[in-house]
């Protein structure tokens, strides 16, 4: 016996209709495609028509869409797809835009001061990653490109600094040549290493007003440097991030981990499929996975292609490369 056809109408008053519907109604089309219901936005009413079970599932996702549009959060078809996947899995970890910084399911949501934006997890894996950053002194995030490993870590660091939980942010990357020769780049040594550090600058510039970012750099509240510059330091009251850790050698990884001082946090991010060292086995990321598991206060988080939040084709590309490597 089929479920009876029902109609549910959600009040969308206060929600930006363009943000809610998406360009060319792409968000509504994705909601309809993913749930099998008919979706219509008329004025301040969002109508869902279909079998009762399908409408109930669609209503949960549609309400999150409305809440996000009311807050002016960006929404596109890929976001709707992730919300649908979260509702289908029944995890309850999809973020509620109206929740406080720590939601009832434990999700960590970051309000960025000065830029009037909210950074929140878009997948269950991202929500777990941010919880682990809150609860552990060292978190090692491993996974493919596009999963938000670095972006979310930088957002958490900015949040810690804004709330005065730490006094400074230190971001480091190994300057390893990935097919191009560092020596052929123009300029002095700083100019040569800046391209390797640019993704960290980009993330910070996206999360802080320009004047505040420049002031933080001048006052050394934020440091961005090649990994080699960390040697010999002890960093107290700091949030440390090591990005592209798959290209840190075993010795460099041990050096970085032992910089941790009093009241400091460390996040290490890397992708095992993008090791550019001459010998794969020299990767410090592979070593810490072997020798640090089980230590209290250290958390390992493994992202999957389900956590990719870039264009949906990125997920398919990662899967295709993974299948080819396994064959």
């Amino acid at each position: 016996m089929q479920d009876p056809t029902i109609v549910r109408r959600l009040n969308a008053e206060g929600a930006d209709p363009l943000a809610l519907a998406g360009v060319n109604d792409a968000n509504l089309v994705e909601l309809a495609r993913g749930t099998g219901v008919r979706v219509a936005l008329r004025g301040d009413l969002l109508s869902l028509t279909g079998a009762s079970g399908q409408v109930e599932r669609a209503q949960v996702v549609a309400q999150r869409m409305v809440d996000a549009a009311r807050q002016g959060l960006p929404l596109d078809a890929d976001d709707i797809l992730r919300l649908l996947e979260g509702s289908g899995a029944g995890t309850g970890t999809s973020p509620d835009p109206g929740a406080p910084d720590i939601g009832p399911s434990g999700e960590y949501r970051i309000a960025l001061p000065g830029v009037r934006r909210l950074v929140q997890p878009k997948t269950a894996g991202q929500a777990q990653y941010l919880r682990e950053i809150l609860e552990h002194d060292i978190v090692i995030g491993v996974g493919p490109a596009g999963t938000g490993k670095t972006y979310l870590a930088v957002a958490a660091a900015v949040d810690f600094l804004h709330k005065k939980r730490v006094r400074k942010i230190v971001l480091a990357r190994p300057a390893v040549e990935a097919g191009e020769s560092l020596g052929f780049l123009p300029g002095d040594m700083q100019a040569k290493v800046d391209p390797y550090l640019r993704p960290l600058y980009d993330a910070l510039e996206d999360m802080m007003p320009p004047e505040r970012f420049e002031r933080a750099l001048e006052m050394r509240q934020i440091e961005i440097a090649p990994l080699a510059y960390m040697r010999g330091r002890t960093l107290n009251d700091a949030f440390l991030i090591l990005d592209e850790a798959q290209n840190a050698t075993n010795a460099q990884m041990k050096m970085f981990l032992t910089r941790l001082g009093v009241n400091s946090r460390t996040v290490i991010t890397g992708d095992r499929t993008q090791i550019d060292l001459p010998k794969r086995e020299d990767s410090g990321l592979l070593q810490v996975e072997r020798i640090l598991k089980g230590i209290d206060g250290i958390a390992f988080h493994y992202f999957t292609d389900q956590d990719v939040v870039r264009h949906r084709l990125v997920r398919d590309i990662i899967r295709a490369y993974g299948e080819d490597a396994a064959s």
Side-chain angles (χ1 to χ4, degrees), residues 51-312:
S52 59
Q54 294 173 323
V55 169
E56 287 176 5
R57 181 183 175 218
Q59 183 175 358
V60 173
V61 176
Q63 187 60 59
R64 289 175 179 150
M65 292 168 60
V66 170
D67 292 341
R70 281 175 175 153
Q71 291 199 10
L73 300 177
L75 274 178
D76 59 27
D78 287 344
D79 294 322
I80 310 309
L81 178 60
R82 283 186 284 272
L83 287 173
L84 287 166
E85 289 174 345
S87 68
T91 60
T93 55
S94 296
D96 176 2
D101 285 353
I102 304 298
S105 300
E107 64 269 24
Y108 180 22
R109 302 168 65 249
I110 302 166
L112 296 173
V115 294
R116 297 184 180 180
R117 258 193 328 108
L118 197 67
V119 173
Q120 57 184 0
K122 292 186 176 182
T123 70
Q126 289 188 345
Q128 178 65 22
Y129 178 58
L130 284 175
R131 282 199 299 273
E132 288 165 345
I133 290 175
L134 275 183
E135 297 168 1
H136 296 82
D137 291 334
I138 298 176
V139 175
I140 300 170
V142 182
T147 50
K149 302 183 299 295
T150 302
Y151 192 85
L152 293 173
V154 172
V158 170
D159 191 46
F160 270 57
L161 182 66
H162 173 65
K163 294 178 178 176
K164 304 188 185 309
R165 299 183 63 178
V166 297
R167 290 189 296 108
K168 70 188 312 180
I169 298 171
V170 179
L171 304 100
R173 262 190 167 204
V176 174
E177 297 174 4
E180 298 85 12
S181 176
L182 186 64
F184 284 103
L185 292 173
D188 58 15
M189 180 53 65
Q190 187 61 44
K192 290 177 186 293
V193 299
D194 271 352
Y196 292 90
L197 305 175
R198 175 45 52 187
L200 299 177
Y201 281 98
D202 289 343
L204 282 165
E205 288 170 353
D206 194 40
M207 297 176 190
M208 302 176 71
E211 64 281 359
R212 184 173 177 226
F213 177 51
E214 293 298 329
R215 187 168 64 252
L217 286 174
E218 291 173 4
M219 298 176 63
R220 300 187 68 80
Q221 290 181 317
I222 296 176
E223 293 184 36
I224 307 173
L227 176 57
Y229 288 20
M230 295 296 104
R231 190 173 300 278
R233 304 181 65 185
T234 299
L235 296 165
N236 299 318
D237 296 310
F239 197 116
L240 286 65
I241 298 175
L242 174 58
D243 191 33
E244 299 288 343
Q246 74 276 1
N247 289 327
T249 65
N250 295 329
Q252 287 175 327
M253 181 66 76
K254 180 181 177 182
M255 178 270 292
F256 181 80
L257 285 166
T258 53
R259 301 309 92 200
L260 189 67
V262 176
N263 188 40
S264 290
R265 297 286 175 108
T266 293
V267 178
I268 295 170
T269 69
D271 181 353
R272 288 174 297 188
T273 69
Q274 297 192 38
I275 296 174
D276 298 313
L277 296 170
K279 295 182 180 179
R280 178 180 173 84
E281 58 271 20
D282 289 340
S283 172
L285 182 64
L286 301 182
Q287 185 187 57
V288 296
E289 287 186 86
R290 293 195 306 270
I291 67 177
L292 295 187
K293 282 189 175 179
I295 296 180
D296 189 35
I298 300 179
F300 285 82
H301 183 85
Y302 293 93
F303 292 92
T304 71
D305 54 29
Q306 293 294 322
D307 296 307
V308 172
V309 293
R310 292 179 185 166
H311 193 287
R312 68 182 69 191

Side-chain angles (χ1 to χ4, degrees), residues 3-27:
D3 287 348
T5 298
I6 62 172
V7 179
R8 293 279 172 82
R9 295 181 176 85
L10 279 67
N11 182 4
E13 185 177 359
D16 181 347
L18 179 58
L20 179 59
V23 178
N24 296 325
D25 292 339
N27 296 347

